[in-house]
Amino acid sequence: MHIKNDDSHSNHTSELRMMVFASLFAALTAAGAYIQVPVPFSPVPVTLQVFFVLLAGSMLKSKWGGLSMIVYTLLGIAGLPVFAGGSSGMGVLLGPTGGYVIGFILAAYIIGKLSEKVENTGRPGFFINALNMSAGVLVIYACGFTQLMFMAEVGPGTALAFGVIPFLPGEIIKTAVAAYIASTHEL
Amino acid sequence: MKEIMQYINGDSFLHSMNPISKIAAVAGVIILSVFTTNSMVLALMVLGILLASLKAGLQQELLRQLKLLVFLSVSLILLTVLTMKSGATLGYLIPPGVFTASGSFPVTTGALDFGVVLSLRFFAMLFSFQLLVVTTRPSELMKALLAIHIPVDYVLMFVIALRFIPSLQVEGQRIHEAQLARGYNPGKGLGGKVRSVKPLLVPLVANSLGRTQVLGLTMDMRGYRSRHSVEKDRLVWNKIDFAAVGCVALTGIGVVLTGLI
């Protein structure tokens, strides 16, 4: 079902619908932890969570995109195995890899803000979306990198080698697919 | 493929419990499991949860998560053994004389203990939360969350997200199988893996957006915004509720006391 040509509802995007969509993206991000794309040269599989974070930001905009990621984080804190690799709980959030989860909330908000700015001048195309999302990816990895460095007490070089570099090729592909979906589908 | 983490109709003692007390007990277990570092306490909690599920006849539901949990705990224990060094050395992963004279990767008691604590923590959290979801009707879960004065919008987002996760997993599986059935061959190697992402994701997102659209419209039509549809009838407490909350509270007090002494 393509929403693209369905203009009857898009001019009054009610709060209730945004709310339902926010919970959808929270669930998508959670399910994304299970869709793993194994990468041969890295021990850590690439999950599709970042992909849904990028989509949440650009489709739901700042307020609801950020809220959907907060709901996702709450699901994880409540004990549901929704963080990457099937882990859950407050301990993950405060642990070495918790920075990525916090980065999700910030990234969705920032991508939303950016695409709100762009939308004043017209509907953003593929490249504008991809640019916005790249900013979001940077935010996620900046947060993840910082927390990894402080919590695991490793130097910036090691943190970069284990927490950022192996994922970047995957992120480029995810950003491209996410930008494609965001520019062809509309809520 | 059966959907995980869904309400199962039944009349066990867990079903008849007050959802508020169940939430309180689960919250207690989660808080306790985060703060205690004693593997005995954690093992007791996991055992208690397992016994409760056995009594209610829901052990099958919990055991279905076992594969994921065993995998998770094995990788956690390996990780801590490789990175942590404390306590007495039990042996070496690579025995002495193979590569180096003294053996590499020592297995220490401190690291083993910490790894076991970490994995038992996940067992306790996941099992307790799953028992809560499996034995509580979604409408009752909502009532309980409303009764502890969480704003209705947030409760609704939480409950809807909870409902969406398993159906999205099933749908992802189905789309994957559908692509295989129509003979889609992304090719081998890294390039194939990358190419297989888009045919899975685009239908998944498009389908779920459409379904969510329908859900939003349905809620609008049923007059959700007037908020009279969520009736607030009282939830009753009975003996099992007090027993469950009491058990968790007692464990908590015990942990705090032994921590003080």
Side-chain angles (χ1 to χ4, degrees), chain A residues 26-34 47 49 71-89 92 101 104, chain B residues 5 68 122 126 129 161-162 165 169:
Chain A
L28 276 173
T29 313
Y34 291 95
T47 66
Q49 289 178 296
V71 169
Y72 161 73
T73 314
L74 286 180
L75 282 172
I77 292 175
L80 209 65
V82 297
F83 293 147
S87 56
S88 64
V92 175
V101 179
F104 287 171
Chain B
M5 289 276 184
L68 170 84
F122 283 124
L126 188 62
F129 190 74
L162 205 60
I165 293 171
Q169 279 173 336

PDB file of all heavy atoms in Angstrom, chain A residues 26-34 47 49 71-89 92 101 104, chain B residues 5 68 122 126 129 161-162 165 169:
ATOM      1  N   ALA A  26       8.633   3.146  17.282  1.00  0.00           N
ATOM      2  CA  ALA A  26       9.287   2.548  18.446  1.00  0.00           C
ATOM      3  C   ALA A  26       9.362   1.034  18.259  1.00  0.00           C
ATOM      4  O   ALA A  26      10.406   0.419  18.490  1.00  0.00           O
ATOM      5  CB  ALA A  26       8.520   2.894  19.712  1.00  0.00           C
ATOM      6  N   ALA A  27       8.259   0.445  17.795  1.00  0.00           N
ATOM      7  CA  ALA A  27       8.230  -1.008  17.598  1.00  0.00           C
ATOM      8  C   ALA A  27       9.158  -1.417  16.461  1.00  0.00           C
ATOM      9  O   ALA A  27       9.842  -2.443  16.540  1.00  0.00           O
ATOM     10  CB  ALA A  27       6.812  -1.463  17.307  1.00  0.00           C
ATOM     11  N   LEU A  28       9.192  -0.604  15.388  1.00  0.00           N
ATOM     12  CA  LEU A  28      10.080  -0.930  14.260  1.00  0.00           C
ATOM     13  C   LEU A  28      11.534  -0.927  14.709  1.00  0.00           C
ATOM     14  O   LEU A  28      12.309  -1.810  14.331  1.00  0.00           O
ATOM     15  CB  LEU A  28       9.884   0.087  13.134  1.00  0.00           C
ATOM     16  CG  LEU A  28       8.739  -0.157  12.159  1.00  0.00           C
ATOM     17  CD1 LEU A  28       8.587   1.031  11.235  1.00  0.00           C
ATOM     18  CD2 LEU A  28       8.998  -1.399  11.333  1.00  0.00           C
ATOM     19  N   THR A  29      11.891   0.083  15.525  1.00  0.00           N
ATOM     20  CA  THR A  29      13.269   0.148  16.004  1.00  0.00           C
ATOM     21  C   THR A  29      13.588  -1.075  16.851  1.00  0.00           C
ATOM     22  O   THR A  29      14.676  -1.639  16.773  1.00  0.00           O
ATOM     23  CB  THR A  29      13.490   1.426  16.817  1.00  0.00           C
ATOM     24  OG1 THR A  29      12.936   2.505  16.103  1.00  0.00           O
ATOM     25  CG2 THR A  29      14.951   1.674  17.051  1.00  0.00           C
ATOM     26  N   ALA A  30      12.592  -1.490  17.662  1.00  0.00           N
ATOM     27  CA  ALA A  30      12.795  -2.677  18.489  1.00  0.00           C
ATOM     28  C   ALA A  30      12.956  -3.916  17.620  1.00  0.00           C
ATOM     29  O   ALA A  30      13.857  -4.731  17.832  1.00  0.00           O
ATOM     30  CB  ALA A  30      11.623  -2.853  19.439  1.00  0.00           C
ATOM     31  N   ALA A  31      12.097  -4.053  16.601  1.00  0.00           N
ATOM     32  CA  ALA A  31      12.187  -5.220  15.723  1.00  0.00           C
ATOM     33  C   ALA A  31      13.480  -5.172  14.917  1.00  0.00           C
ATOM     34  O   ALA A  31      14.031  -6.205  14.562  1.00  0.00           O
ATOM     35  CB  ALA A  31      10.981  -5.277  14.797  1.00  0.00           C
ATOM     36  N   GLY A  32      13.972  -3.954  14.649  1.00  0.00           N
ATOM     37  CA  GLY A  32      15.197  -3.798  13.879  1.00  0.00           C
ATOM     38  C   GLY A  32      16.403  -4.409  14.560  1.00  0.00           C
ATOM     39  O   GLY A  32      17.371  -4.772  13.904  1.00  0.00           O
ATOM     40  N   ALA A  33      16.323  -4.541  15.886  1.00  0.00           N
ATOM     41  CA  ALA A  33      17.438  -5.153  16.613  1.00  0.00           C
ATOM     42  C   ALA A  33      17.599  -6.614  16.221  1.00  0.00           C
ATOM     43  O   ALA A  33      18.664  -7.191  16.400  1.00  0.00           O
ATOM     44  CB  ALA A  33      17.222  -5.043  18.116  1.00  0.00           C
ATOM     45  N   TYR A  34      16.537  -7.219  15.693  1.00  0.00           N
ATOM     46  CA  TYR A  34      16.594  -8.644  15.344  1.00  0.00           C
ATOM     47  C   TYR A  34      16.953  -8.892  13.898  1.00  0.00           C
ATOM     48  O   TYR A  34      17.377  -9.980  13.540  1.00  0.00           O
ATOM     49  CB  TYR A  34      15.250  -9.302  15.649  1.00  0.00           C
ATOM     50  CG  TYR A  34      14.976  -9.384  17.104  1.00  0.00           C
ATOM     51  CD1 TYR A  34      14.224  -8.417  17.741  1.00  0.00           C
ATOM     52  CD2 TYR A  34      15.504 -10.419  17.863  1.00  0.00           C
ATOM     53  CE1 TYR A  34      13.995  -8.479  19.100  1.00  0.00           C
ATOM     54  CE2 TYR A  34      15.276 -10.488  19.213  1.00  0.00           C
ATOM     55  CZ  TYR A  34      14.521  -9.523  19.819  1.00  0.00           C
ATOM     56  OH  TYR A  34      14.309  -9.570  21.159  1.00  0.00           O
ATOM     57  N   THR A  47      22.863  -4.023  12.954  1.00  0.00           N
ATOM     58  CA  THR A  47      21.417  -4.146  13.048  1.00  0.00           C
ATOM     59  C   THR A  47      20.778  -3.001  12.276  1.00  0.00           C
ATOM     60  O   THR A  47      21.432  -2.043  11.882  1.00  0.00           O
ATOM     61  CB  THR A  47      20.941  -4.090  14.498  1.00  0.00           C
ATOM     62  OG1 THR A  47      21.216  -2.786  15.004  1.00  0.00           O
ATOM     63  CG2 THR A  47      21.622  -5.127  15.334  1.00  0.00           C
ATOM     64  N   GLN A  49      18.574  -0.938  13.405  1.00  0.00           N
ATOM     65  CA  GLN A  49      17.947   0.044  14.280  1.00  0.00           C
ATOM     66  C   GLN A  49      18.160   1.470  13.787  1.00  0.00           C
ATOM     67  O   GLN A  49      17.226   2.261  13.747  1.00  0.00           O
ATOM     68  CB  GLN A  49      18.510  -0.100  15.681  1.00  0.00           C
ATOM     69  CG  GLN A  49      18.035  -1.349  16.339  1.00  0.00           C
ATOM     70  CD  GLN A  49      18.644  -1.490  17.703  1.00  0.00           C
ATOM     71  OE1 GLN A  49      19.842  -1.624  17.836  1.00  0.00           O
ATOM     72  NE2 GLN A  49      17.825  -1.455  18.699  1.00  0.00           N
ATOM     73  N   VAL A  71       9.933   6.194  23.782  1.00  0.00           N
ATOM     74  CA  VAL A  71       9.103   5.016  24.050  1.00  0.00           C
ATOM     75  C   VAL A  71       9.927   3.742  23.858  1.00  0.00           C
ATOM     76  O   VAL A  71       9.870   2.812  24.668  1.00  0.00           O
ATOM     77  CB  VAL A  71       7.862   5.001  23.134  1.00  0.00           C
ATOM     78  CG1 VAL A  71       7.144   3.658  23.206  1.00  0.00           C
ATOM     79  CG2 VAL A  71       6.915   6.111  23.517  1.00  0.00           C
ATOM     80  N   TYR A  72      10.749   3.747  22.793  1.00  0.00           N
ATOM     81  CA  TYR A  72      11.613   2.585  22.538  1.00  0.00           C
ATOM     82  C   TYR A  72      12.557   2.344  23.717  1.00  0.00           C
ATOM     83  O   TYR A  72      12.712   1.217  24.191  1.00  0.00           O
ATOM     84  CB  TYR A  72      12.398   2.823  21.250  1.00  0.00           C
ATOM     85  CG  TYR A  72      13.619   1.967  21.100  1.00  0.00           C
ATOM     86  CD1 TYR A  72      13.500   0.619  20.800  1.00  0.00           C
ATOM     87  CD2 TYR A  72      14.892   2.497  21.283  1.00  0.00           C
ATOM     88  CE1 TYR A  72      14.617  -0.174  20.677  1.00  0.00           C
ATOM     89  CE2 TYR A  72      16.013   1.710  21.165  1.00  0.00           C
ATOM     90  CZ  TYR A  72      15.867   0.383  20.864  1.00  0.00           C
ATOM     91  OH  TYR A  72      16.972  -0.401  20.757  1.00  0.00           O
ATOM     92  N   THR A  73      13.166   3.431  24.205  1.00  0.00           N
ATOM     93  CA  THR A  73      14.086   3.291  25.334  1.00  0.00           C
ATOM     94  C   THR A  73      13.351   2.769  26.567  1.00  0.00           C
ATOM     95  O   THR A  73      13.870   1.922  27.302  1.00  0.00           O
ATOM     96  CB  THR A  73      14.728   4.649  25.641  1.00  0.00           C
ATOM     97  OG1 THR A  73      15.152   5.234  24.425  1.00  0.00           O
ATOM     98  CG2 THR A  73      15.915   4.496  26.557  1.00  0.00           C
ATOM     99  N   LEU A  74      12.123   3.265  26.787  1.00  0.00           N
ATOM    100  CA  LEU A  74      11.337   2.804  27.935  1.00  0.00           C
ATOM    101  C   LEU A  74      11.030   1.313  27.820  1.00  0.00           C
ATOM    102  O   LEU A  74      11.086   0.584  28.810  1.00  0.00           O
ATOM    103  CB  LEU A  74      10.021   3.590  28.031  1.00  0.00           C
ATOM    104  CG  LEU A  74      10.149   5.017  28.528  1.00  0.00           C
ATOM    105  CD1 LEU A  74       8.788   5.693  28.569  1.00  0.00           C
ATOM    106  CD2 LEU A  74      10.764   5.013  29.919  1.00  0.00           C
ATOM    107  N   LEU A  75      10.713   0.865  26.603  1.00  0.00           N
ATOM    108  CA  LEU A  75      10.463  -0.572  26.396  1.00  0.00           C
ATOM    109  C   LEU A  75      11.687  -1.371  26.825  1.00  0.00           C
ATOM    110  O   LEU A  75      11.569  -2.410  27.475  1.00  0.00           O
ATOM    111  CB  LEU A  75      10.184  -0.857  24.923  1.00  0.00           C
ATOM    112  CG  LEU A  75       8.806  -0.543  24.366  1.00  0.00           C
ATOM    113  CD1 LEU A  75       8.810  -0.727  22.864  1.00  0.00           C
ATOM    114  CD2 LEU A  75       7.769  -1.437  24.978  1.00  0.00           C
ATOM    115  N   GLY A  76      12.859  -0.863  26.463  1.00  0.00           N
ATOM    116  CA  GLY A  76      14.085  -1.559  26.826  1.00  0.00           C
ATOM    117  C   GLY A  76      14.300  -1.559  28.323  1.00  0.00           C
ATOM    118  O   GLY A  76      14.668  -2.570  28.904  1.00  0.00           O
ATOM    119  N   ILE A  77      14.056  -0.407  28.972  1.00  0.00           N
ATOM    120  CA  ILE A  77      14.254  -0.324  30.416  1.00  0.00           C
ATOM    121  C   ILE A  77      13.287  -1.258  31.131  1.00  0.00           C
ATOM    122  O   ILE A  77      13.628  -1.887  32.135  1.00  0.00           O
ATOM    123  CB  ILE A  77      14.080   1.135  30.891  1.00  0.00           C
ATOM    124  CG1 ILE A  77      15.222   1.997  30.361  1.00  0.00           C
ATOM    125  CG2 ILE A  77      14.065   1.209  32.408  1.00  0.00           C
ATOM    126  CD1 ILE A  77      15.074   3.449  30.665  1.00  0.00           C
ATOM    127  N   ALA A  78      12.070  -1.388  30.596  1.00  0.00           N
ATOM    128  CA  ALA A  78      11.072  -2.232  31.245  1.00  0.00           C
ATOM    129  C   ALA A  78      11.467  -3.704  31.217  1.00  0.00           C
ATOM    130  O   ALA A  78      10.876  -4.502  31.925  1.00  0.00           O
ATOM    131  CB  ALA A  78       9.716  -2.049  30.573  1.00  0.00           C
ATOM    132  N   GLY A  79      12.437  -4.073  30.394  1.00  0.00           N
ATOM    133  CA  GLY A  79      12.893  -5.458  30.420  1.00  0.00           C
ATOM    134  C   GLY A  79      12.678  -6.206  29.120  1.00  0.00           C
ATOM    135  O   GLY A  79      13.046  -7.355  29.003  1.00  0.00           O
ATOM    136  N   LEU A  80      12.063  -5.558  28.135  1.00  0.00           N
ATOM    137  CA  LEU A  80      11.875  -6.225  26.849  1.00  0.00           C
ATOM    138  C   LEU A  80      13.215  -6.273  26.107  1.00  0.00           C
ATOM    139  O   LEU A  80      13.947  -5.298  26.108  1.00  0.00           O
ATOM    140  CB  LEU A  80      10.859  -5.425  26.034  1.00  0.00           C
ATOM    141  CG  LEU A  80      10.016  -6.185  25.039  1.00  0.00           C
ATOM    142  CD1 LEU A  80       9.117  -7.154  25.764  1.00  0.00           C
ATOM    143  CD2 LEU A  80       9.163  -5.217  24.252  1.00  0.00           C
ATOM    144  N   PRO A  81      13.558  -7.400  25.492  1.00  0.00           N
ATOM    145  CA  PRO A  81      14.878  -7.492  24.857  1.00  0.00           C
ATOM    146  C   PRO A  81      14.934  -6.750  23.531  1.00  0.00           C
ATOM    147  O   PRO A  81      14.942  -7.355  22.470  1.00  0.00           O
ATOM    148  CB  PRO A  81      15.052  -8.996  24.647  1.00  0.00           C
ATOM    149  CG  PRO A  81      13.680  -9.520  24.526  1.00  0.00           C
ATOM    150  CD  PRO A  81      12.808  -8.650  25.374  1.00  0.00           C
ATOM    151  N   VAL A  82      14.955  -5.427  23.582  1.00  0.00           N
ATOM    152  CA  VAL A  82      14.866  -4.652  22.344  1.00  0.00           C
ATOM    153  C   VAL A  82      16.155  -3.927  21.989  1.00  0.00           C
ATOM    154  O   VAL A  82      16.260  -3.355  20.916  1.00  0.00           O
ATOM    155  CB  VAL A  82      13.723  -3.615  22.403  1.00  0.00           C
ATOM    156  CG1 VAL A  82      12.400  -4.318  22.530  1.00  0.00           C
ATOM    157  CG2 VAL A  82      13.912  -2.651  23.531  1.00  0.00           C
ATOM    158  N   PHE A  83      17.138  -3.932  22.897  1.00  0.00           N
ATOM    159  CA  PHE A  83      18.397  -3.288  22.538  1.00  0.00           C
ATOM    160  C   PHE A  83      19.209  -4.248  21.670  1.00  0.00           C
ATOM    161  O   PHE A  83      18.935  -5.447  21.646  1.00  0.00           O
ATOM    162  CB  PHE A  83      19.178  -2.904  23.793  1.00  0.00           C
ATOM    163  CG  PHE A  83      18.508  -1.829  24.598  1.00  0.00           C
ATOM    164  CD1 PHE A  83      18.609  -1.799  25.975  1.00  0.00           C
ATOM    165  CD2 PHE A  83      17.750  -0.856  23.977  1.00  0.00           C
ATOM    166  CE1 PHE A  83      17.983  -0.814  26.720  1.00  0.00           C
ATOM    167  CE2 PHE A  83      17.118   0.135  24.703  1.00  0.00           C
ATOM    168  CZ  PHE A  83      17.236   0.155  26.081  1.00  0.00           C
ATOM    169  N   ALA A  84      20.206  -3.736  20.985  1.00  0.00           N
ATOM    170  CA  ALA A  84      20.954  -4.542  20.014  1.00  0.00           C
ATOM    171  C   ALA A  84      21.477  -5.824  20.653  1.00  0.00           C
ATOM    172  O   ALA A  84      21.976  -5.813  21.775  1.00  0.00           O
ATOM    173  CB  ALA A  84      22.125  -3.734  19.468  1.00  0.00           C
ATOM    174  N   GLY A  85      21.303  -6.943  19.957  1.00  0.00           N
ATOM    175  CA  GLY A  85      21.779  -8.219  20.462  1.00  0.00           C
ATOM    176  C   GLY A  85      20.849  -8.864  21.459  1.00  0.00           C
ATOM    177  O   GLY A  85      21.204  -9.837  22.093  1.00  0.00           O
ATOM    178  N   GLY A  86      19.647  -8.305  21.641  1.00  0.00           N
ATOM    179  CA  GLY A  86      18.668  -8.929  22.523  1.00  0.00           C
ATOM    180  C   GLY A  86      18.871  -8.631  23.988  1.00  0.00           C
ATOM    181  O   GLY A  86      18.367  -9.335  24.850  1.00  0.00           O
ATOM    182  N   SER A  87      19.578  -7.553  24.316  1.00  0.00           N
ATOM    183  CA  SER A  87      19.757  -7.217  25.722  1.00  0.00           C
ATOM    184  C   SER A  87      18.720  -6.175  26.138  1.00  0.00           C
ATOM    185  O   SER A  87      17.994  -5.633  25.321  1.00  0.00           O
ATOM    186  CB  SER A  87      21.166  -6.683  25.955  1.00  0.00           C
ATOM    187  OG  SER A  87      21.406  -5.591  25.114  1.00  0.00           O
ATOM    188  N   SER A  88      18.636  -5.942  27.453  1.00  0.00           N
ATOM    189  CA  SER A  88      17.636  -4.996  27.935  1.00  0.00           C
ATOM    190  C   SER A  88      18.052  -4.476  29.290  1.00  0.00           C
ATOM    191  O   SER A  88      18.999  -4.963  29.894  1.00  0.00           O
ATOM    192  CB  SER A  88      16.275  -5.684  28.054  1.00  0.00           C
ATOM    193  OG  SER A  88      16.348  -6.698  29.022  1.00  0.00           O
ATOM    194  N   GLY A  89      17.329  -3.496  29.767  1.00  0.00           N
ATOM    195  CA  GLY A  89      17.512  -3.026  31.132  1.00  0.00           C
ATOM    196  C   GLY A  89      18.306  -1.740  31.244  1.00  0.00           C
ATOM    197  O   GLY A  89      18.938  -1.270  30.311  1.00  0.00           O
ATOM    198  N   VAL A  92      22.198  -1.596  30.475  1.00  0.00           N
ATOM    199  CA  VAL A  92      22.699  -1.379  29.118  1.00  0.00           C
ATOM    200  C   VAL A  92      22.830   0.114  28.845  1.00  0.00           C
ATOM    201  O   VAL A  92      23.802   0.583  28.266  1.00  0.00           O
ATOM    202  CB  VAL A  92      21.746  -2.027  28.094  1.00  0.00           C
ATOM    203  CG1 VAL A  92      22.184  -1.702  26.684  1.00  0.00           C
ATOM    204  CG2 VAL A  92      21.706  -3.514  28.294  1.00  0.00           C
ATOM    205  N   VAL A 101      22.026   4.346  22.296  1.00  0.00           N
ATOM    206  CA  VAL A 101      20.586   4.446  22.549  1.00  0.00           C
ATOM    207  C   VAL A 101      20.202   5.899  22.828  1.00  0.00           C
ATOM    208  O   VAL A 101      19.189   6.397  22.336  1.00  0.00           O
ATOM    209  CB  VAL A 101      20.187   3.523  23.719  1.00  0.00           C
ATOM    210  CG1 VAL A 101      18.708   3.637  23.988  1.00  0.00           C
ATOM    211  CG2 VAL A 101      20.560   2.095  23.417  1.00  0.00           C
ATOM    212  N   PHE A 104      20.129   7.768  19.698  1.00  0.00           N
ATOM    213  CA  PHE A 104      18.920   7.567  18.894  1.00  0.00           C
ATOM    214  C   PHE A 104      17.909   8.681  19.142  1.00  0.00           C
ATOM    215  O   PHE A 104      17.344   9.244  18.209  1.00  0.00           O
ATOM    216  CB  PHE A 104      18.248   6.232  19.254  1.00  0.00           C
ATOM    217  CG  PHE A 104      18.966   5.016  18.750  1.00  0.00           C
ATOM    218  CD1 PHE A 104      18.576   3.759  19.152  1.00  0.00           C
ATOM    219  CD2 PHE A 104      20.034   5.131  17.872  1.00  0.00           C
ATOM    220  CE1 PHE A 104      19.231   2.624  18.696  1.00  0.00           C
ATOM    221  CE2 PHE A 104      20.696   4.014  17.409  1.00  0.00           C
ATOM    222  CZ  PHE A 104      20.296   2.759  17.826  1.00  0.00           C
TER     223      PHE A 104
ATOM    224  N   MET B   5       5.530 -12.845  23.144  1.00  0.00           N
ATOM    225  CA  MET B   5       5.157 -11.713  24.004  1.00  0.00           C
ATOM    226  C   MET B   5       3.715 -11.261  23.778  1.00  0.00           C
ATOM    227  O   MET B   5       3.442 -10.086  23.672  1.00  0.00           O
ATOM    228  CB  MET B   5       6.088 -10.514  23.747  1.00  0.00           C
ATOM    229  CG  MET B   5       7.469 -10.721  24.255  1.00  0.00           C
ATOM    230  SD  MET B   5       7.589 -10.322  25.971  1.00  0.00           S
ATOM    231  CE  MET B   5       9.316 -10.556  26.245  1.00  0.00           C
ATOM    232  N   LEU B  68      17.696 -17.696  22.801  1.00  0.00           N
ATOM    233  CA  LEU B  68      18.250 -16.344  22.759  1.00  0.00           C
ATOM    234  C   LEU B  68      19.050 -16.058  24.023  1.00  0.00           C
ATOM    235  O   LEU B  68      20.160 -15.526  23.972  1.00  0.00           O
ATOM    236  CB  LEU B  68      17.095 -15.346  22.629  1.00  0.00           C
ATOM    237  CG  LEU B  68      17.435 -13.878  22.801  1.00  0.00           C
ATOM    238  CD1 LEU B  68      17.946 -13.327  21.499  1.00  0.00           C
ATOM    239  CD2 LEU B  68      16.229 -13.089  23.254  1.00  0.00           C
ATOM    240  N   PHE B 122      19.737 -10.733  33.003  1.00  0.00           N
ATOM    241  CA  PHE B 122      18.871 -10.738  31.820  1.00  0.00           C
ATOM    242  C   PHE B 122      17.767 -11.780  31.959  1.00  0.00           C
ATOM    243  O   PHE B 122      16.621 -11.525  31.584  1.00  0.00           O
ATOM    244  CB  PHE B 122      19.687 -11.001  30.556  1.00  0.00           C
ATOM    245  CG  PHE B 122      20.452  -9.808  30.108  1.00  0.00           C
ATOM    246  CD1 PHE B 122      21.815  -9.860  29.940  1.00  0.00           C
ATOM    247  CD2 PHE B 122      19.792  -8.620  29.875  1.00  0.00           C
ATOM    248  CE1 PHE B 122      22.526  -8.749  29.540  1.00  0.00           C
ATOM    249  CE2 PHE B 122      20.483  -7.507  29.472  1.00  0.00           C
ATOM    250  CZ  PHE B 122      21.857  -7.566  29.314  1.00  0.00           C
ATOM    251  N   LEU B 126      13.917 -10.547  31.773  1.00  0.00           N
ATOM    252  CA  LEU B 126      13.114 -10.972  30.628  1.00  0.00           C
ATOM    253  C   LEU B 126      11.976 -11.884  31.077  1.00  0.00           C
ATOM    254  O   LEU B 126      10.824 -11.703  30.660  1.00  0.00           O
ATOM    255  CB  LEU B 126      14.005 -11.693  29.618  1.00  0.00           C
ATOM    256  CG  LEU B 126      13.298 -12.008  28.312  1.00  0.00           C
ATOM    257  CD1 LEU B 126      12.887 -10.718  27.654  1.00  0.00           C
ATOM    258  CD2 LEU B 126      14.195 -12.774  27.385  1.00  0.00           C
ATOM    259  N   PHE B 129       9.224  -9.912  32.974  1.00  0.00           N
ATOM    260  CA  PHE B 129       8.444  -9.045  32.095  1.00  0.00           C
ATOM    261  C   PHE B 129       7.561  -9.874  31.174  1.00  0.00           C
ATOM    262  O   PHE B 129       6.414  -9.522  30.912  1.00  0.00           O
ATOM    263  CB  PHE B 129       9.378  -8.169  31.261  1.00  0.00           C
ATOM    264  CG  PHE B 129       8.666  -7.086  30.520  1.00  0.00           C
ATOM    265  CD1 PHE B 129       8.190  -5.991  31.196  1.00  0.00           C
ATOM    266  CD2 PHE B 129       8.450  -7.176  29.164  1.00  0.00           C
ATOM    267  CE1 PHE B 129       7.514  -4.997  30.525  1.00  0.00           C
ATOM    268  CE2 PHE B 129       7.783  -6.185  28.482  1.00  0.00           C
ATOM    269  CZ  PHE B 129       7.320  -5.097  29.173  1.00  0.00           C
ATOM    270  N   ALA B 161       3.076   0.038  21.019  1.00  0.00           N
ATOM    271  CA  ALA B 161       4.403  -0.404  20.588  1.00  0.00           C
ATOM    272  C   ALA B 161       4.632  -1.852  20.991  1.00  0.00           C
ATOM    273  O   ALA B 161       5.152  -2.648  20.222  1.00  0.00           O
ATOM    274  CB  ALA B 161       5.483   0.487  21.189  1.00  0.00           C
ATOM    275  N   LEU B 162       4.197  -2.187  22.195  1.00  0.00           N
ATOM    276  CA  LEU B 162       4.328  -3.559  22.681  1.00  0.00           C
ATOM    277  C   LEU B 162       3.592  -4.527  21.774  1.00  0.00           C
ATOM    278  O   LEU B 162       4.048  -5.626  21.490  1.00  0.00           O
ATOM    279  CB  LEU B 162       3.752  -3.616  24.095  1.00  0.00           C
ATOM    280  CG  LEU B 162       4.244  -4.698  25.020  1.00  0.00           C
ATOM    281  CD1 LEU B 162       5.732  -4.557  25.210  1.00  0.00           C
ATOM    282  CD2 LEU B 162       3.536  -4.586  26.343  1.00  0.00           C
ATOM    283  N   ILE B 165       5.484  -4.979  18.099  1.00  0.00           N
ATOM    284  CA  ILE B 165       6.788  -5.639  17.934  1.00  0.00           C
ATOM    285  C   ILE B 165       6.650  -7.056  17.379  1.00  0.00           C
ATOM    286  O   ILE B 165       7.252  -7.369  16.347  1.00  0.00           O
ATOM    287  CB  ILE B 165       7.575  -5.624  19.254  1.00  0.00           C
ATOM    288  CG1 ILE B 165       7.964  -4.205  19.597  1.00  0.00           C
ATOM    289  CG2 ILE B 165       8.820  -6.478  19.157  1.00  0.00           C
ATOM    290  CD1 ILE B 165       8.550  -4.052  20.966  1.00  0.00           C
ATOM    291  N   GLN B 169       7.816  -8.524  13.597  1.00  0.00           N
ATOM    292  CA  GLN B 169       8.776  -9.607  13.410  1.00  0.00           C
ATOM    293  C   GLN B 169       8.202 -10.663  12.475  1.00  0.00           C
ATOM    294  O   GLN B 169       8.870 -11.130  11.554  1.00  0.00           O
ATOM    295  CB  GLN B 169       9.120 -10.231  14.753  1.00  0.00           C
ATOM    296  CG  GLN B 169      10.148  -9.436  15.505  1.00  0.00           C
ATOM    297  CD  GLN B 169      10.354  -9.957  16.897  1.00  0.00           C
ATOM    298  OE1 GLN B 169       9.475 -10.596  17.467  1.00  0.00           O
ATOM    299  NE2 GLN B 169      11.496  -9.673  17.448  1.00  0.00           N
TER     300      GLN B 169
END
